[in-house]
Amino acid sequence: MSAYVPHPEDHFTFGLWTVGNIGRDPFGDPVRAPIAPARIVQQLAKLGAYGVNLHDNDLVPRDATPAERDRIVRDFKQVLADTGMKVPMATTNLFGDPVFRDGAFTSNDARVRAYALKRTMSAIDLGVELGAATYVFWGGREGTDTSAAKDPRDGIKWYRDAINYLCDYVRAQQYDLRFAIEPKPNEPRGDIFLPTIGHALAFVYTLDHPEMVGLNPELAHDTMAGLEFSHGVGQALDAGKLFHIDLNAQKPGRFDQDLRFGSEDVKGAFFLVKLLEDARWTGMRHFDSHAYRTEDEQGVWDFAAGSMRTYLILEDKVARFNADAEIQGLLNDLRSRGGADSPERFSAEGAQTLKDRAFDLDAMRATGYAYEKLDQLTMEILLGVR
Ligand code: GCO
Ligand code: MN
Ligand code: MN
């Protein structure tokens, strides 16, 4: 049995902003001192992570001079080289600066929309310089607090214009970079554009270069909307659009909690891990969450280690599920009902045969599916008695 010790091959990553979270909330001041990016990288490397992700200003302060920027980036690259840590994903902070109070790409002010493009091009340059292969767009401020403010068709059009522009920028620069849109229903805006995986997927296919753009779904965001996250992730996988994933935990019906992965809804987390592992998905398992506000710095490292350990424990549970003779027997019974048959394509003749086919409806109505048994066996694995 695995000792649940993370290694870089597990592809676990954290944002500088996640372990670096200082515990500020709308009601209270910070409770922790900022941790320098170099220290974050060193500590996470010791814990077995693959890398760190960042917003432009997590590393380079907004008002840094070009010379300061270059020195910060040079020093940071040295830490990456010393530790073997990578920066697989980068993004832009398009939500903190008051200039973005009405959104960035979807602000009603065209100057703000242009400034957002400028900011993002520089941040893309930084991300690529650090080796990022995925660039995330989380539109936290893209939306409205009152529907009087914007025609949603304008919002979507401006959003599309921006992503098209930036795809062209990446192509012109010949960067090897893919975009991943991160849906969220609300918070910090009252309503955010592209609120769910489904909205974002449909949007991708309206772009000039849909092949460059996929998704970065987040567990907490779907849970806030009352959705079953693994179904959305499954649909993104099916479309070949799962470019990245944000893992955390969240109680439904609450504010955006960003809890440690697996610390709520263990069963949901299990089926998510099962989906990713059964699909042999090779992407980054990014933890977009933070330690409780009660914690000091040691609590932050406990949080980071715990996130990875829980994933590995659930991976082990998945292996048990897949090797469990009784569970597999039940799943085989389901398969023997034709679940794996290749679908029949329409033909006029086949349709006529189907119309003429007699069904034993009484037998079909009377047959159960044994899901109570299947779920109980799954729970017993999760509860550690199986
Ligand atoms: C949130 C989001 C962010 C983004 C991050 C990277 O709810 O605040 O999940 O953490 O993931 O800005 O794009
Ligand atoms: Mn989030
Ligand atoms: Mn996120």
Side-chain angles (χ1 to χ4, degrees), residues 182 218 221 246 288:
E182 179 177 341
E218 173 169 321
H221 298 175
D246 280 6
D288 191 13

Side-chain angles (χ1 to χ4, degrees), residues 54-68:
L54 46 85
H55 301 88
D56 47 351
N57 69 340
D58 293 337
L59 183 65
V60 182
R62 213 154 62 199
D63 48 10
T65 65
E68 281 162 354

Side-chain angles (χ1 to χ4, degrees), residues 134-380:
T134 305
Y135 201 86
V136 163
F137 291 89
W138 171 64
R141 299 270 177 213
E142 313 293 6
T144 58
D145 307 301
T146 163
S147 294
K150 270 172 220 173
D151 184 325
R153 291 171 299 177
D154 288 334
I156 291 299
K157 181 190 170 302
W158 291 329
Y159 219 145
R160 180 184 305 114
D161 290 345
I163 301 290
N164 282 339
Y165 187 100
L166 294 164
C167 281
D168 282 338
Y169 178 68
V170 164
R171 288 161 62 85
Q173 297 291 113
Q174 299 190 320
Y175 288 154
D176 191 7
L177 191 68
R178 300 196 299 178
F179 290 170
I181 295 175
E182 179 177 341
K184 187 175 186 183
N186 57 276
E187 214 180 316
R189 292 315 286 275
D191 290 290
I192 299 178
F193 294 135
L194 307 182
T196 68
I197 292 172
H199 290 81
L201 266 180
F203 174 76
V204 164
Y205 296 107
T206 69
L207 297 168
D208 289 346
H209 293 287
E211 72 286 354
M212 292 176 68
V213 186
L215 264 66
N216 177 37
E218 173 169 321
L219 195 161
H221 298 175
D222 271 40
T223 307
M224 286 166 70
L227 300 173
E228 167 53 41
F229 187 53
S230 67
H231 289 195
V233 173
Q235 196 171 344
L237 277 168
D238 175 71
K241 289 296 186 191
L242 188 69
F243 285 8
H244 198 265
I245 196 163
D246 280 6
L247 301 174
N248 47 19
Q250 170 79 30
K251 288 190 186 185
R254 304 284 169 94
F255 63 96
D256 179 9
Q257 294 177 298
D258 281 339
L259 299 167
R260 188 180 75 260
F261 177 64
S263 64
E264 297 291 337
D265 187 14
V266 176
K267 192 162 136 187
F270 167 77
F271 282 111
L272 176 66
V273 171
K274 182 171 186 305
L275 178 69
L276 297 176
E277 298 305 318
D278 285 352
R280 301 194 193 294
W281 185 68
T282 55
M284 295 296 142
R285 276 86 173 147
H286 170 72
F287 297 106
D288 191 13
S289 40
H290 50 76
Y292 302 132
R293 189 165 178 271
T294 47
E295 300 310 285
D296 55 19
E297 191 180 317
Q298 181 53 47
V300 170
W301 305 126
D302 291 342
F303 146 84
S307 303
M308 296 187 282
R309 184 171 163 83
T310 296
Y311 190 101
L312 293 175
I313 293 170
L314 290 175
E315 218 182 294
D316 182 56
K317 300 285 185 193
V318 169
R320 283 167 187 265
F321 180 101
N322 288 341
D324 189 297
E326 207 174 346
I327 288 177
Q328 293 310 313
L330 290 170
L331 293 176
N332 278 333
D333 287 349
L334 290 171
R335 276 183 216 113
S336 71
R337 297 190 192 190
D341 288 358
S342 44
E344 196 179 325
R345 298 296 305 238
F346 174 84
S347 69
E349 196 189 336
Q352 191 53 52
T353 311
L354 183 54
K355 281 181 169 176
D356 295 340
R357 181 169 156 192
F359 288 91
D360 184 354
L361 290 178
D362 285 340
M364 287 156 70
R365 286 179 186 128
T367 311
Y369 286 78
Y371 293 162
E372 281 292 352
K373 179 104 197 208
L374 185 58
D375 188 77
Q376 179 65 24
L377 293 173
T378 306
M379 287 310 295
E380 293 193 8

